[in-house]
Amino acid sequence: MTTRWLALLMLGACIGFVQAAPAADSACMDGAETELERLYCQVVREGGGAGLPSPADFKRNDPQIQALLLRRPAGRLGLEVPEVGAAAAPEPPPSQADPETAGSEPEDASQPRGYLSECQLQGQRITCPQRRFDLVTNQHNSELTDGVLAPDNRLGLGPFNGDRNDEEAVRRYLSDAYDRYIPKMVDIGLGASTMSFTAFHNAFHTMEDGGVDFARRMEQTFSLLKQDKKNLAVDTRYHDELPGDLSLCMVINRDIIVCDNVGTNWVFVSPSR
């Protein structure tokens, strides 16, 4: 999801839905660089691309989300979606967060500023003086709270009404939006498939530059994920990589910490949540 957000990139850059099927031309396959991108082009070529994002928008997503998007249309065509690993992580952007400020502005006033400096990263756990945070995985639907996959559970981001040239205003907006996005993804059992803040930031500008309302498109993304979550199994984790140190981490709220090395996102949740 102030300068605490600059190191942190959703679902990858955000999913850009289109109303009609993407154009199936040779340029798609020529520009494909991964197995998932080639499968996307094959699905489109064989007429299964209705509801998929454009080729450019598809590429902006993390591999986990690319695979999730392709499972249903590829399955209808009898095509197998390849296993997703950590090797296809995107290149880091030039902006990096200052480790001194990462996680230094917790949302909850009961937590002191910079309290992550008092915590220890211990593999799949972050231990702090008063509580701990465990690495979250994607959850089976039987583990979810009743109603979280229902249509009335909305992401609920407000539109951005400021000046997009005002970077501080954009960061404030995206910080608040990301603070809402991460818990919502955890709620629907996709905590291990979240978009990093840098991707979130990049998706905002890409969509708004193209005349697409970011908040509305994110709501469409969330709705599609809920629908697929009802019907498709997801892996609990897609890789065994872990964050290297707490300088990669920030506080979302008193119950959630997110760590990110730009290519990979990790969400840690307090058991008391």
Side-chain angles (χ1 to χ4, degrees):
M1 210 184 256
T2 63
T3 56
R4 70 185 172 116
W5 294 103
L6 289 179
L8 301 167
L9 263 163
M10 168 181 178
L11 301 171
C14 186
I15 300 168
F17 294 111
V18 290
Q19 296 303 314
D25 54 33
S26 60
C28 179
M29 195 63 78
D30 292 342
E33 299 176 349
T34 68
E35 284 188 84
L36 287 168
E37 291 175 10
R38 286 188 284 273
L39 177 61
Y40 167 90
C41 296
Q42 185 178 355
V43 168
V44 171
R45 185 177 62 227
E46 297 186 19
L52 286 175
S54 69
D57 283 335
F58 180 81
K59 285 188 174 187
R60 294 187 184 102
N61 288 286
D62 285 338
Q64 299 98 309
I65 302 306
Q66 290 180 342
L68 185 60
L69 284 170
L70 288 171
R71 282 184 184 179
R72 180 177 290 171
R76 288 172 181 158
L77 296 170
L79 302 174
E80 185 175 350
V81 178
E83 291 293 324
V84 177
E91 292 295 320
S95 297
Q96 296 293 330
D98 180 354
E100 295 299 317
T101 62
S104 64
E105 295 182 30
E107 178 184 273
D108 187 77
S110 68
Q111 300 284 8
R113 283 181 177 271
Y115 86 95
L116 283 184
S117 63
E118 303 173 20
C119 302
Q120 290 185 323
L121 179 61
Q122 301 169 322
Q124 298 186 29
R125 176 172 294 177
I126 296 174
T127 303
C128 300
Q130 302 299 324
R131 62 195 311 174
R132 78 172 198 265
F133 300 81
D134 296 325
L135 181 66
V136 73
T137 60
N138 291 331
Q139 295 178 291
H140 298 297
N141 292 346
S142 60
E143 302 174 88
L144 305 181
T145 302
D146 290 345
V148 294
L149 299 180
D152 59 355
N153 179 29
R154 297 173 57 83
L155 183 58
L157 303 185
F160 178 72
N161 296 318
D163 180 359
R164 283 186 50 234
N165 293 319
D166 184 346
E167 269 302 309
E168 186 57 35
V170 170
R171 285 179 197 145
R172 284 196 302 269
Y173 168 78
L174 291 177
S175 175
D176 290 342
Y178 196 70
D179 284 356
R180 182 170 181 82
Y181 158 75
I182 290 292
K184 283 288 190 177
M185 288 290 284
V186 172
D187 287 344
I188 66 172
L190 292 177
S193 302
T194 58
M195 181 188 288
S196 63
F197 185 77
T198 300
F200 201 74
H201 182 278
N202 292 344
F204 170 81
H205 283 293
T206 298
M207 292 181 199
E208 296 286 338
D209 285 345
V212 176
D213 183 271
F214 174 74
R216 184 176 303 152
R217 185 59 52 85
M218 288 292 294
E219 196 66 63
Q220 292 173 330
T221 300
F222 190 67
S223 178
L224 178 63
L225 289 175
K226 287 189 300 175
Q227 292 173 27
D228 281 351
K229 190 67 170 57
K230 290 179 182 178
N231 303 303
L232 300 173
V234 295
D235 294 337
T236 54
R237 292 184 65 189
Y238 296 98
H239 57 81
D240 295 323
E241 188 179 358
L242 292 170
D245 59 75
L246 282 174
S247 69
L248 303 175
C249 305
M250 67 177 179
V251 176
I252 294 296
N253 58 41
R254 71 183 306 273
D255 293 318
I256 299 178
I257 293 172
V258 171
C259 304
D260 142 51
N261 65 4
V262 178
T264 304
N265 220 42
W266 297 271
V267 179
F268 292 80
V269 176
S270 171
S272 62
R273 181 177 186 265

